[in-house]
């Protein structure tokens, strides 16, 4: 429970990146130095793919990110498909029709492909909240697979917005132009603002697959500095929740 809202982590998948984009960690986080890696596991990166279910006191149900999706996912070339989200939701007693709001942190294929199934919205009773900058930026398979089937249900926002009382979307550009995180109380669901613990050791560490690595780093440094203490709910760490005990090192 955070600020009166129940938060349930869901694990859509676990696995390494597929061969098409797999590289040594030092190439994926190219400006991370030995001090940044100190104490971290530098063996092959096994990614978790977390989504988060929120339930507020009035029973409204929010899903943050939709995972990899099915065997036809645009992520099929690199992610461990199919995603397990539907089974994860069923395991906590939630059916697709129960979801009132879906917040997509960004339009990468491992976060948004599960928004649709069989060419139709996977959560037909929901509005789907997305930043305009990502809707404008997305192309190819994500338009075909996600945006087009969702057209009637899209709720496009520009910048920060309160999605439901106590649940805030915050525009955090860089990883993608319209990347957003979700904040409730002292918990931030980060999407890909932070991908790996090395970016908490040093928020200036960039990620090879950022759309704009410099902007992503600037956003991450500023956001974490302002947040100070609290908890992160990350997409790709091994554990869904990470406490921010001390201000992260910068530089
Ligand atoms: Zn991403
Ligand atoms: Zn991701």
């Amino acid at each position: 429970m955070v600020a009166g809202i129940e938060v349930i982590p869901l694990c859509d998948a676990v696995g390494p990146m597929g061969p098409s984009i797999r590289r040594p960690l030092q190439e994926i986080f190219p400006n991370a130095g030995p001090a940044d890696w100190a104490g971290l596991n530098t063996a092959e990166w096994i990614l978790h793919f977390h989504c988060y279910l929120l339930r507020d006191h009035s029973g409204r149900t929010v899903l943050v990110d939709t995972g990899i999706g099915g065997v036809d996912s645009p992520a099929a070339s690199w992610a461990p498909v199919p995603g397990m989200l539907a089974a994860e939701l069923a395991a906590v007693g939630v059916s697709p029709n129960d979801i009132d709001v879906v917040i997509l942190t960004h339009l990468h294929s491992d976060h948004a492909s599960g928004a649709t199934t069989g060419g139709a919205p996977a959560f037909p009773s929901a509005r789907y909240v997305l930043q305009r900058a990502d809707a404008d930026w997305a192309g190819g398979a994500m338009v075909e697979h996600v945006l087009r089937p969702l057209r009637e249900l899209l709720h496009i926002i520009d910048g920060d917005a309160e999605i439901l009382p106590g649940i805030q979307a915050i525009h955090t550009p860089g990883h993608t132009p319209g990347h957003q995180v979700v904040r409730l109380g002292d918990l931030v669901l980060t999407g890909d603002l932070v991908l790996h613990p090395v970016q908490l050791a040093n928020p200036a560490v960039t990620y090879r697959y950022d759309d704009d690595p410099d902007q992503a780093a600037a956003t991450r440094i500023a956001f974490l500095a302002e947040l100070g203490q609290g908890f992160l709910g990350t997409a790709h760490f091994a554990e869904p929740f990470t406490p921010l005990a001390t201000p992260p090192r910068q530089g």
Side-chain angles (χ1 to χ4, degrees):
M1 297 291 296
V2 179
I5 297 166
E6 184 182 12
V7 184
I8 302 174
L10 306 168
C11 195
D12 187 50
V14 180
M17 289 176 174
S20 63
I21 62 169
R22 187 183 306 166
R23 289 168 180 273
L25 272 176
Q26 289 73 13
E27 294 179 21
I28 290 182
F29 299 97
N31 65 343
D36 301 324
W37 291 110
L40 298 176
N41 180 2
T42 53
E44 186 181 28
W45 189 19
I46 307 297
L47 291 85
H48 288 233
F49 297 78
H50 298 134
C51 307
Y52 292 84
L53 185 73
L54 313 179
R55 276 199 201 109
D56 75 5
H57 50 82
S58 59
R60 281 174 297 198
T61 304
V62 178
L63 181 63
V64 178
D65 279 342
T66 60
I68 293 165
V71 290
D72 63 341
S73 168
S77 66
W78 72 272
V81 285
M84 301 282 292
L85 179 63
E88 287 278 285
L89 285 169
V92 294
V94 172
S95 84
N97 269 308
D98 296 336
I99 304 293
D100 299 304
V101 182
V102 175
I103 304 175
L104 297 173
T105 61
H106 62 299
L107 283 179
H108 273 160
S109 57
D110 56 324
H111 294 254
S113 297
T116 63
T117 180
F123 307 99
S125 305
R127 61 184 164 115
Y128 285 72
V129 179
L130 181 67
Q131 290 284 334
R132 183 176 307 283
D134 251 34
D136 291 345
W137 160 85
M142 296 310 289
V143 171
E144 295 297 323
H145 186 95
V146 176
L147 288 185
R148 206 154 282 165
L150 290 184
R151 197 167 28 207
E152 304 292 317
L153 302 180
L154 284 177
H155 175 195
I156 302 288
I157 59 176
D158 287 296
D160 302 351
E162 183 144 63
I163 306 304
L164 286 173
I167 300 176
Q168 195 186 11
I170 303 171
H171 185 205
T172 48
H175 179 67
T176 66
H179 188 278
Q180 60 185 346
V181 300
V182 178
R183 181 165 189 177
L184 47 152
D186 63 355
L187 173 67
V188 175
L189 306 176
T190 66
D192 284 350
L193 176 73
V194 178
L195 287 120
H196 189 283
V198 73
Q199 293 179 309
L200 291 183
N202 181 0
V205 168
T206 57
Y207 176 60
R208 183 183 188 91
Y209 302 117
D210 284 333
D211 182 66
D212 182 337
D214 292 337
Q215 186 181 28
T219 295
R220 184 168 41 253
I221 290 166
F223 187 89
L224 292 175
E226 191 184 324
L227 185 63
Q229 301 194 348
F231 291 85
L232 304 182
T234 58
H236 299 304
F237 287 21
E239 298 295 332
F241 297 114
T242 303
L244 280 179
T246 53
R249 189 164 61 81
Q250 294 181 23

